[in-house]
Amino acid sequence: LMKSISHDKGKTWSTVEDSDIPNPGTAADVVVLQSGNWALVHNDIEEGRHRLSVWLSKDEGETWPHRKILVDGMPGSEVRGHYPAIIQGKDGIIHISYTNQIAGPEGQPSVKNITHACFSEQWLSE
């Protein structure tokens, strides 16, 4: 996952560089939670979109020790999770929507839909 840092509230930015966070060059989304912690949803592998995970950082993205897998397909399978978006509701519940793809019935094309996942920050930090 690529990153750029601003130390002046977004007026200027550092040169974009590759972070230690694995990502195959696909969409990712981050939200600052009511607690001040950060939540990141992305494909956390270097190739493919067969795994989609949500990560939690308690130190503004320096480390991401808490992780939950939302989509866990095998490499080369039709399973995909991509184009994620994340928000937190006023009630504190975290909501993620993403394009979900699974294998269709034998001889049929894959099935694509939009999936909505919701959970608490506590669940994510367990």
Side-chain angles (χ1 to χ4, degrees):
L1 196 64
M2 305 303 284
K3 72 176 181 178
S4 179
I5 299 172
S6 174
H7 296 286
D8 56 12
K9 300 185 179 191
K11 290 181 182 178
T12 62
W13 292 87
S14 68
T15 302
V16 176
E17 59 185 44
D18 198 1
S19 72
D20 294 333
I21 300 170
N23 183 270
T26 59
D29 199 11
V30 177
V31 68
V32 177
L33 302 173
Q34 294 165 1
S35 65
N37 295 332
W38 293 9
L40 163 67
V41 61
H42 66 118
N43 298 105
D44 65 340
I45 49 180
E46 288 296 336
E47 293 185 23
R49 297 179 180 193
H50 55 274
R51 189 168 74 200
L52 184 75
S53 297
V54 58
W55 293 14
L56 181 71
S57 174
K58 295 182 177 182
D59 56 11
E60 296 185 341
E62 292 295 321
T63 62
W64 300 89
H66 306 283
R67 303 171 185 180
K68 299 284 186 175
I69 297 172
L70 302 175
V71 174
D72 196 14
M74 298 296 296
S77 72
E78 291 186 61
V79 173
R80 304 276 186 282
H82 39 120
Y83 307 112
I86 186 169
I87 62 169
Q88 185 177 37
K90 289 182 182 180
D91 61 359
I93 298 297
I94 299 166
H95 299 266
I96 295 176
S97 61
Y98 58 93
T99 303
N100 190 41
Q101 177 178 308
I102 58 174
E106 190 171 333
Q108 299 294 315
S110 58
V111 177
K112 299 175 185 175
N113 57 50
I114 302 296
T115 297
H116 172 244
C118 55
F119 47 85
S120 67
E121 184 176 347
Q122 179 180 349
W123 174 81
L124 183 53
S125 65
E126 293 174 349

